[in-house]
């Protein structure tokens, strides 16, 4: 069975601090996809990134970076120099590789950035 | 606006009544998904369509739930004999078909959701 665990329910930091959101996953598949989605206060989920299981290179996009470690089944997300606009609920997710049709989401981490 | 649209945005109903939600996906997307989200939880997969074919259904989707996508465009999700436990946000999403692994796979475009409250 596939499972995604986000142990941090809520995180609150002061603006400009760096923050890391943890994600641990379980799957029996040897190939799979991992994702991060953002749900701002407006409510609409927004896709941030997709990673496939055979590419363990870390990825950086502006202030966002992702660290994928297959050995520990983790896919952590770091925001550098956080801003108030980063306040949202962030979801880590997992799907099978062949079709990416059924995406399993974690329970989310609510991130609050204080000015 | 060319995003995913859902209607109604809010629905309050009494226990035992039937409700129907509609989703209009992004026009060029042939995959359509329904998810359910309760407070403080992540979205839970309910079902998905490739064009008009319903290819997978979650065990969460009891026989009171039915989804259709008759012409491969818009979709409806009907809940019969609603129960208080059905109260949730029902999310629709669409995506291009990911026949080629990696090409847009898993990049879902979500609507704003339809919030159901069962009294």
């Amino acid at each position: 069975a596939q499972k995604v665990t986000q142990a941090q329910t809520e995180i609150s930091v002061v603006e400009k601090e760096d923050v890391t959101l943890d994600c641990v996953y379980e799957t029996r598949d040897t190939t799979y996809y991992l994702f991060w989605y953002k749900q701002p206060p407006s409510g609409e989920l927004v896709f941030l990134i997709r990673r496939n299981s055979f590419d363990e290179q870390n990825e950086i996009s502006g202030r966002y970076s992702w660290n994928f470690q297959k050995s520990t089944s983790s896919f952590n997300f770091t925001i550098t120099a956080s801003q108030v606009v980063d306040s949202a609920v962030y979801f880590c997710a997992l799907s099978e590789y062949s079709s990416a049709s059924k995406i399993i989401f974690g329970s989310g981490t609510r991130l609050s950035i204080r000015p | 606006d060319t995003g995913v649209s859902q209607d109604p945005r809010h629905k309050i109903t009494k226990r035992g009544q039937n409700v129907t939600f509609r989703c209009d996906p992004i026009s060029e997307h042939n995959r359509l998904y329904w998810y359910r989200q309760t407070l403080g939880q992540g979205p839970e997969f309910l079902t998905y369509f490739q064009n008009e074919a319903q290819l997978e259904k979650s065990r969460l989707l009891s026989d009171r739930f039915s989804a259709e996508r008759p012409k491969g465009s818009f979709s409806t999700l009907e809940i019969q004999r609603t129960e208080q436990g059905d109260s949730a946000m029902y999310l629709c999403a669409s995506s291009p078909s990911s026949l080629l692994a990696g090409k847009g796979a898993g990049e879902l475009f979500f609507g704003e959701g339809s919030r159901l409250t069962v009294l």
Side-chain angles (χ1 to χ4, degrees):
Chain A
Q2 295 182 324
K3 185 179 178 182
V4 176
T5 301
Q6 295 180 257
Q8 304 153 308
T9 306
E10 292 192 38
I11 299 175
S12 180
V13 300
V14 176
E15 199 172 18
K16 297 182 185 176
E17 286 186 14
D18 299 347
V19 58
T20 295
L21 309 182
D22 297 333
C23 172
V24 173
Y25 63 91
E26 297 174 30
T27 181
R28 293 181 197 158
D29 297 335
T30 53
T31 55
Y32 47 88
Y33 284 112
L34 294 163
F35 310 88
W36 277 94
Y37 277 79
K38 174 181 180 179
Q39 190 171 39
S42 60
E44 201 166 319
L45 280 147
V46 176
F47 169 87
L48 293 178
I49 189 172
R50 171 186 56 251
R51 210 90 191 116
N52 61 49
S53 54
F54 42 84
D55 182 0
E56 286 193 69
Q57 277 193 340
N58 291 332
E59 183 153 344
I60 298 174
S61 175
R63 296 184 296 105
Y64 294 173
S65 62
W66 291 270
N67 180 257
F68 174 33
Q69 293 198 343
K70 214 166 177 177
S71 59
T72 56
S73 297
S74 65
F75 186 44
N76 297 337
F77 174 28
T78 297
I79 301 175
T80 303
S82 60
Q83 299 177 2
V84 172
V85 293
D86 295 326
S87 297
V89 181
Y90 290 87
F91 293 97
C92 181
L94 167 71
S95 80
E96 61 180 18
Y97 184 78
S98 58
S99 66
S101 56
K102 179 179 174 180
I103 298 177
I104 306 299
F105 286 82
S107 56
T109 297
R110 180 176 298 278
L111 177 63
S112 298
I113 310 297
R114 308 189 305 275
Chain B
D1 186 13
T2 57
V4 177
S5 63
Q6 294 188 242
D7 183 70
R9 296 288 312 282
H10 303 274
K11 178 72 176 178
I12 300 173
T13 191
K14 292 182 179 178
R15 189 164 51 110
Q17 298 295 303
N18 298 345
V19 297
T20 299
F21 300 114
R22 175 180 170 126
C23 172
D24 287 272
I26 293 171
S27 57
E28 61 266 29
H29 288 178
N30 50 14
R31 285 192 169 193
L32 186 147
Y33 308 77
W34 285 100
Y35 279 82
R36 180 172 68 186
Q37 186 176 23
T38 53
L39 200 62
Q41 298 299 313
E44 295 175 292
F45 173 84
L46 293 179
T47 189
Y48 98 98
F49 293 83
Q50 173 92 17
N51 300 312
E52 66 275 11
Q54 188 174 21
L55 296 186
E56 188 163 356
K57 286 172 56 172
S58 166
R59 281 172 288 180
L60 292 173
L61 217 63
S62 77
D63 55 6
R64 296 185 299 105
F65 287 70
S66 62
E68 293 183 344
R69 195 182 182 198
K71 296 181 180 179
S73 56
F74 73 92
S75 175
T76 57
L77 176 68
E78 181 184 16
I79 309 173
Q80 295 182 325
R81 305 181 304 280
T82 52
E83 302 172 356
Q84 287 182 327
D86 297 332
S87 295
M89 179 75 85
Y90 289 85
L91 302 171
C92 178
S94 68
S95 75
S97 176
S98 50
L99 293 177
L100 298 176
K103 192 159 180 71
E107 184 173 349
L108 271 53
F109 294 78
F110 280 86
E112 293 178 299
S114 293
R115 181 171 296 284
L116 173 64
T117 302
V118 181
L119 302 176

